[in-house]
Amino acid sequence: AQTVTQSQPEMSVQEAETVTLSCTYDTSENNYYLFWYKQPPSRQMILVIRQEAYKQQNATENRFSVNFQKAAKSFSLKISDSQLGDTAMYFCAFPHNAGNMLTFGGGTRLMVKP
Amino acid sequence: EAGVAQSPRYKIIEKRQSVAFWCNPISGHATLYWYQQILGQGPKLLIQFQNNGVVDDSQLPKDRFSAERLKGVDSTLKIQPAKLEDSAVYLCASSLASGVYEQYFGPGTRLTVT
């Protein structure tokens, strides 16, 4: 069974600084996708970024980028130029099945300080 | 475009009572998911539908939980009888199709079992 581990329960960063959230996973599959989701306080979960395992290039979405290391089964999220609106729970997720039912990590609570 | 709708937003019941949650996915989305999110944890998958058929319910505690999506649109998740440990937020998500498509999450139903 796939497992997803986020080892940092809480992190904080100063506004405009850069922060990296860690995620490791375990799978025997070779082709798969990985996701980072954001859940702001009292708001809905939204997709931040997605990485395809067969692609060498790390995914980037504006201020969000990933460092994907397939051999190490590591998938970290880097947030550049942190903004107050980035304050949220961040979840790393991995498909449980071919239908993309997701297994989530335990989450990292990120606080951006002014 | 309207998002995923869920109701009720909050529900308080006593243990051993029954409860039902409703989800209306984004129009045209064939795939629907239910997740359980206990406070301070990542969402845990429960069941996945493709149109009106179940794709994966291997994580659903079938002794007390049931779910249906009769006409391939709205879905209902039921708990009968409820236990204290069922206190959680129940999230519904939908995606265009099964596979690696973005999942759009609803606001969730917060259940408290006393």
Side-chain angles (χ1 to χ4, degrees), chain B residues 3-68:
Chain B
V4 176
Q6 291 189 248
S7 69
R9 292 295 310 277
Y10 305 92
K11 188 75 176 179
I12 301 173
I13 62 171
E14 295 182 351
K15 60 184 178 183
R16 291 187 290 274
Q17 286 187 323
S18 62
V19 64
F21 313 125
W22 174 81
C23 173
N24 180 240
I26 292 173
S27 177
H29 279 195
T31 308
L32 185 147
Y33 309 83
W34 283 101
Y35 294 89
Q36 178 195 58
Q37 186 176 22
I38 293 172
L39 186 65
Q41 299 181 16
K44 172 189 167 186
L45 45 83
L46 291 176
I47 189 168
Q48 176 188 357
F49 292 94
Q50 177 73 15
N51 296 312
N52 62 348
V54 174
V55 174
D56 190 334
D57 64 356
S58 59
Q59 307 298 306
L60 190 72
K62 298 181 189 62
D63 58 332
R64 298 184 300 107
F65 286 66
S66 64
E68 59 184 14

Side-chain angles (χ1 to χ4, degrees), chain B residues 89-101:
Chain B
V89 175
Y90 290 85
L91 298 170
C92 178
S94 71
S95 65
L96 196 59
S98 183
V100 193
Y101 293 90

Side-chain angles (χ1 to χ4, degrees), chain A residues 23-77:
Chain A
C23 173
T24 58
Y25 60 94
D26 186 26
T27 183
S28 56
E29 298 180 19
N30 191 44
N31 294 317
Y32 49 87
Y33 288 74
L34 290 158
F35 304 86
W36 278 99
Y37 277 84
K38 170 185 177 181
Q39 190 174 41
S42 302
R43 294 183 64 186
Q44 291 164 230
M45 186 100 70
I46 56 172
L47 179 66
V48 175
I49 199 165
R50 176 174 73 181
Q51 174 74 43
E52 299 160 67
Y54 64 87
K55 286 190 175 180
Q56 300 274 7
Q57 189 173 8
N58 288 325
T60 300
E61 287 287 341
N62 301 314
R63 298 183 295 106
F64 299 87
S65 61
V66 301
N67 181 5
F68 174 53
Q69 301 190 11
K70 190 174 182 180
K73 295 181 181 176
S74 170
F75 180 58
S76 60
L77 174 69

